[in-house]
Every structure is written in structure tokens, then in C-alpha cells.
């Protein structure tokens, strides 16, 4: 029998030295299976790593040579037999003898036709790309369009916002007609002309200031200054030519009070309302004051004084503008936010709807106050109640629904509501003889 290592070590060494050697041999024998297992694990991990590296190498080689493998290889020409070669060469010589001799072409055949076609195509592509880049660069650059004399009246009409100017003149005329006293046609025409010129000046200056912001909005991107149809110098000159005679007509042709109101309105619209549109939502209230001044100017032109009737007409125009403009701005919220304007419909939508409903109801109260101030008879509040109730109902629907459909209905209703309301006021105007009949006692 073979002796175990324990017996060998115990035979050779005795005492404490032999005991230590025996203990070390025993630990080595017990830890041998763990070492073997760990060794096999390391070998397997190294083998997996090696396999992965070889796989990545194959993938790299495949990707590198994929383009080469996809190219079309020209087919090799089949080898010709010696007999056919000999026959074709003999026929070629005979044909050469029969064919007449032609002069060699003067054009050098240094390049192949295919190479010339490729170069021509590449040149045309490069030229086309350069032309396209040049056109895009020219489109991005601002350039003034050629101004024709035939187009000038239409351009100036759009610069002065002719529809808004017509609304201003009509409200001024209504204020003049509703004022007590005889109707003076010359004063009426001077008032209408001066107010229209002042409105054209204010609108032109407004567009001059808002050119960079109007270009970002779909609603205003086709204005004359944005498109470059006229120069800014011409726009400012046109505004000056409208403002100076307009204010002069109102001051010396009508009365100084009306002229002062015209100057104040131009200043309020151009220097307060226009910059406030990008700062605070109070621009809506300032703009409502601007729209309320024209009927007051008509009243002062006829009477020469600021009476309670003038303030009532201004209050009706002031309240009417909130459902009109808030409903309009509700459908243009994306446009106003893109242009950078601070509007109630963009920043405070709930307040926008609430203010519109509040001023719809205020129109009923203002219409009731008209006969109290002896502007109209008591028939006016009665016959104006249906249209005031209808616009109040649409304002309530706009407040509840808060959608584009309700805002459009309210906006279109406001377009016919104001002219009809002013027409009813003119129909029910308090005549001077009616006031005297009320004051006389029966004899």
C-alpha cells in the first residue's frame, strides 16, 4: 500500500514542525476543488470574450466590404476560337479595302463619351444647386417692391385701415347727429373729414411701429409695410400729411375742444395703446377708450361742450368694444402669441370671457340711461332690448362654452349690433319740441 502524505510527513518530521506541515497539506488538499472550478470559469470567460471579438471582427469586415460585394462586375468576354478569329480578321481586311477613306475627325478623342456625359451632368447639378441657393438667399433678404402709381391708392387705403377708419367716422357722425341743436352740414362735413384724416394718421403710425411683429402673424403679414410695397419714409410722410390737416380742420374749422380730443386720441393710440400691446393686458382697456372718443368728438363738434350725453355715447362705444374685440382675439390666440402680443385671450382666457359678458350686460343699462339724460325717448330702451338681450345671450354662451364657435357668433353679432343700436337711437332721438311740451303745464 502506498503511504499517504500525512504518514510520510509524520515519519519524516515530528513535533511542532511536523504538525504545521500536516495542517498546511490538509488546507491545500481541501481548497484544490475550488481552485480548479475557478480556473475553469476564467478559461470559459476568456473563451467567450475571444468569441465576441472574433464576431465583431467578422461584422466589421462584412460592413467594410459590403459596398464592394454589391457592385456589378462586368462579365468576362467569352474566348473566341482561333478559326473564328482568323475568319473575322480576313473579312475585316477585305472590308477595309472596299470602304472609302474618310478624313480623320479634327476633335481629339482623348476622353470617353461616358466620362464626358458624367462631367456634364455633374456640372449641371452643381450649377442648379448654386442657383437654388442664390434664389433662397435673395428671398430671405428684404427688398422694396416697385411702386406703381395705379397701386398707390389701394396701398394707402390698407395702410390707413380704411374699414376701421370708416367705422370711426360713422360713430363720429352718430354723435354729431344725436347731439341737441340744429344740424349744421358744413360743420358736419368738416368734423367727418378731420376725424377720418386723424384716424388714417394714427393707423399708419401704428403699422409703422409694428412691422417686425406683424410679419409673424398670418392676420397682418400682408400689410404694405411688411411686404415692402412702400418704404417706411413714405408711410411716415403719409401719416404726417393726414395728421396735420386733420387736426387743423378739427381745431380751426370746428372748435378747439374737438381738435384737442383728436390730438389726444392720436397720442393715446400710437404712444400708449401700441406699445402696451406687448407689455400688459391693460392695452384692451386703453384701446376701448380710443374707440370711445370719436362719438364724443361728434357731440362736442355739434355742441362745443362735454355733456352727459357725450359721456353716455362714449360709454356705449366703450362697452361694445369688449365683446367685439375679445371674441375676435379668442380666435386669433395662436396668431397673437406668435406675434408676441399680450392679450387677455392668450394670458387670461377666463378674464377675457368674463369681461365680454359683463360689458354685454352693461349695454342694457346704458340703453336704459339714454332717456333719463334726455337723449332719446323711452321707446328706445324697449325696442333695443331684444338686440341687447341677444348679444348678452351670445356673451353668456361664449363665457360658458369658451370655444371658437361661440366666439365667432359673438363677433359677427357685434358687427351688426352697433350700427342697429345707433340707428335706433337716431330714430328715437329726443326732439327739442318734445322737451318743451313736457315742461308746459295745461292751461
Amino acid at each position: 500500500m502506498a503511504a499517504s502524505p500525512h504518514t510520510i510527513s509524520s515519519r519524516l518530521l515530528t513535533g511542532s514542525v511536523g504538525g504545521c506541515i500536516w495542517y498546511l497539506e490538509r488546507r491545500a488538499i481541501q481548497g484544490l476543488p475550488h481552485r480548479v472550478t475557478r480556473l475553469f470559469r476564467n478559461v470559459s470567460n476568456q473563451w467567450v470574450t475571444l468569441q465576441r471579438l472574433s464576431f465583431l471582427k467578422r461584422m466589421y469586415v462584412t460592413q467594410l466590404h459590403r459596398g464592394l460585394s454589391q457592385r456589378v462586375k462586368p462579365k468576362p468576354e467569352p474566348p473566341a476560337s482561333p478559326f473564328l478569329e482568323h475568319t473575322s480578321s480576313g473579312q475585316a481586311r477585305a472590308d477595309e479595302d472596299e470602304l472609302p477613306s474618310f478624313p480623320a475627325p479634327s476633335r481629339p478623342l482623348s476622353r470617353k463619351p461616358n466620362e464626358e456625359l458624367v462631367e456634364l451632368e455633374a456640372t449641371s447639378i452643381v450649377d442648379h444647386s448654386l442657383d437654388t441657393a442664390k434664389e433662397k438667399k435673395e428671398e430671405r433678404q428684404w427688398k422694396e417692391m416697385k411702386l406703381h402709381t395705379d397701386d398707390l391708392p389701394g396701398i394707402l387705403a390698407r395702410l390707413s385701415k380704411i374699414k376701421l377708419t370708416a367705422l370711426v367716422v360713422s360713430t363720429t357722425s352718430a354723435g354729431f347727429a344725436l347731439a341737441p341743436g340744429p344740424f349744421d352740414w358744413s360743420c358736419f362735413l368738416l368734423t367727418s373729414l378731420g376725424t377720418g384724416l386723424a384716424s388714417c394718421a394714427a393707423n399708419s403710425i401704428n403699422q409703422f411701429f409694428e412691422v417686425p411683429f406683424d410679419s409673424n402673424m398670418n392676420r397682418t403679414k400682408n400689410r404694405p409695410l411688411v411686404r415692402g410695397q412702400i418704404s417706411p419714409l413714405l408711410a411716415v410722410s403719409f401719416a404726417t400729411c393726414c395728421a396735420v390737416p386733420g387736426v387743423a380742420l378739427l381745431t380751426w374749422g370746428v372748435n378747439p375742444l374737438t381738435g384737442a380730443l383728436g390730438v389726444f386720441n392720436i397720442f393715446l393710440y400710437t404712444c400708449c395703446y401700441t406699445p402696451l400691446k406687448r407689455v400688459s393686458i391693460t392695452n384692451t382697456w386703453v384701446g376701448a377708450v380710443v374707440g370711445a372718443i370719436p362719438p364724443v368728438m361728434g357731440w362736442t363738434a355739434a355742441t362745443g361742450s362735454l355733456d352727459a350725453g357725450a359721456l353716455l355715447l362714449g360709454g356705449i362705444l366703450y362697452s361694445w368694444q369688449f365683446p367685439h374685440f375679445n371674441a375676435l382675439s379668442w380666435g386669433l390666440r395662436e396668431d397673437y402669441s406668435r406675434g408676441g402680443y399680450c392679450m387677455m385671450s392668450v394670458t387670461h382666457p377666463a378674464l377675457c370671457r368674463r369681461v365680454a359678458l359683463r360689458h354685454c350686460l352693461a349695454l342694457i343699462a346704458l340703453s336704459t340711461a339714454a332717456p333719463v339724460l334726455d337723449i332719446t325717448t323711452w321707446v328706445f330702451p324697449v325696442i333695443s332690448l331684444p338686440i341687447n338681450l341677444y348679444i348678452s345671450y351670445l356673451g353668456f354662451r361664449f363665457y360658458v362654452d369658451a370655444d371658437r364657435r361661440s366666439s365667432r357668433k359673438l363677433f359677427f353679432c357685434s358687427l351688426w349690433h352697433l350700427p342697429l343700436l345707433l340707428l335706433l337711437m337716431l330714430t328715437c332721438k329726443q326732439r327739442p319740441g318734445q322737451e318743451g311740451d313736457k315742461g308746459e303745464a295745461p292751461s
Side-chain angles (χ1 to χ4, degrees), residues 151-166:
D151 301 333
L152 187 60
I155 292 173
L156 295 179
R158 285 187 285 122
L159 180 67
S160 59
K161 301 179 184 178
I162 194 65
K163 294 180 180 179
L164 181 59
T165 300

Side-chain angles (χ1 to χ4, degrees), residues 114-171:
N114 293 334
E115 293 180 358
E116 293 179 358
L117 289 174
V118 169
E119 286 188 2
L120 288 173
E121 290 178 358
T123 307
S124 62
I125 290 171
V126 170
D127 294 340
H128 179 68
S129 62
L130 290 174
D131 294 340
T132 306
K134 188 176 180 180
E135 289 176 0
K136 289 182 178 179
K137 185 177 180 180
E138 290 178 354
E139 287 177 0
R140 286 195 299 266
Q141 291 178 350
W142 186 89
K143 57 181 181 180
E144 185 177 351
M145 299 175 66
K146 292 183 179 179
L147 179 63
H148 300 284
T149 310
D150 299 337
D151 301 333
L152 187 60
I155 292 173
L156 295 179
R158 285 187 285 122
L159 180 67
S160 59
K161 301 179 184 178
I162 194 65
K163 294 180 180 179
L164 181 59
T165 300
L167 177 63
V168 170
V169 173
S170 63
T171 56

Side-chain angles (χ1 to χ4, degrees), residues 252-317:
W252 288 284
V254 183
N255 54 59
L257 177 60
T258 308
L261 286 174
V263 173
F264 175 70
N265 213 19
I266 293 174
F267 170 78
L268 198 63
Y269 188 70
T270 57
C271 300
C272 297
Y273 170 72
T274 300
L276 271 176
K277 288 169 70 175
R278 298 182 55 81
V279 177
S280 172
I281 61 172
T282 54
N283 68 82
T284 309
W285 282 268
V286 176
V289 174
V290 172
I293 290 177
V296 178
M297 293 172 62
W299 185 283
T300 58
T303 61
S305 61
L306 270 174
D307 302 330
L311 299 179
L312 177 66
L313 288 176
I316 290 175
L317 264 294

Side-chain angles (χ1 to χ4, degrees), residues 414-435:
S414 66
L415 293 178
W416 58 260
H417 175 270
L418 180 65
L420 185 57
L421 187 67
L422 294 177
L423 184 62
L424 292 176
M425 289 187 75
L426 286 171
T427 306
C428 303
K429 178 185 175 181
Q430 187 74 265
R431 308 297 175 185
Q434 295 176 357
E435 294 179 7

Side-chain angles (χ1 to χ4, degrees), residues 36-202:
V36 173
T37 305
R38 192 178 304 166
L39 179 63
F40 276 109
R41 285 180 181 175
N42 293 335
V43 171
S44 63
N45 289 336
Q46 291 176 1
W47 175 249
V48 171
T49 306
L50 182 63
Q51 281 185 336
R52 182 172 180 81
L53 289 174
S54 61
F55 173 73
L56 293 175
K57 180 181 178 181
R58 287 197 300 272
M59 288 290 293
Y60 173 75
V61 173
T62 305
Q63 293 289 339
L64 185 63
H65 296 288
R66 180 174 291 178
L68 296 176
S69 62
Q70 289 179 355
R71 293 180 183 175
V72 179
K73 296 180 180 179
K75 294 182 179 180
E77 297 180 359
S81 62
F83 175 75
L84 292 174
E85 219 174 89
H86 179 69
T87 307
S88 62
S89 62
Q91 289 179 356
R93 287 175 185 174
D95 294 337
E96 285 178 4
D97 295 336
E98 292 178 1
L99 289 173
S101 61
F102 293 98
S106 59
R107 182 180 176 183
L109 301 176
S110 59
R111 295 182 181 179
K112 295 181 180 179
N114 293 334
E115 293 180 358
E116 293 179 358
L117 289 174
V118 169
E119 286 188 2
L120 288 173
E121 290 178 358
T123 307
S124 62
I125 290 171
V126 170
D127 294 340
H128 179 68
S129 62
L130 290 174
D131 294 340
T132 306
K134 188 176 180 180
E135 289 176 0
K136 289 182 178 179
K137 185 177 180 180
E138 290 178 354
E139 287 177 0
R140 286 195 299 266
Q141 291 178 350
W142 186 89
K143 57 181 181 180
E144 185 177 351
M145 299 175 66
K146 292 183 179 179
L147 179 63
H148 300 284
T149 310
D150 299 337
D151 301 333
L152 187 60
I155 292 173
L156 295 179
R158 285 187 285 122
L159 180 67
S160 59
K161 301 179 184 178
I162 194 65
K163 294 180 180 179
L164 181 59
T165 300
L167 177 63
V168 170
V169 173
S170 63
T171 56
T172 306
S173 304
F176 189 94
L178 285 169
F183 192 88
D184 189 355
W185 279 100
S186 60
C187 184
F188 172 76
L189 293 176
L190 289 174
T191 304
S192 301
L193 182 59
T195 306
L197 290 174
S199 176
C200 290

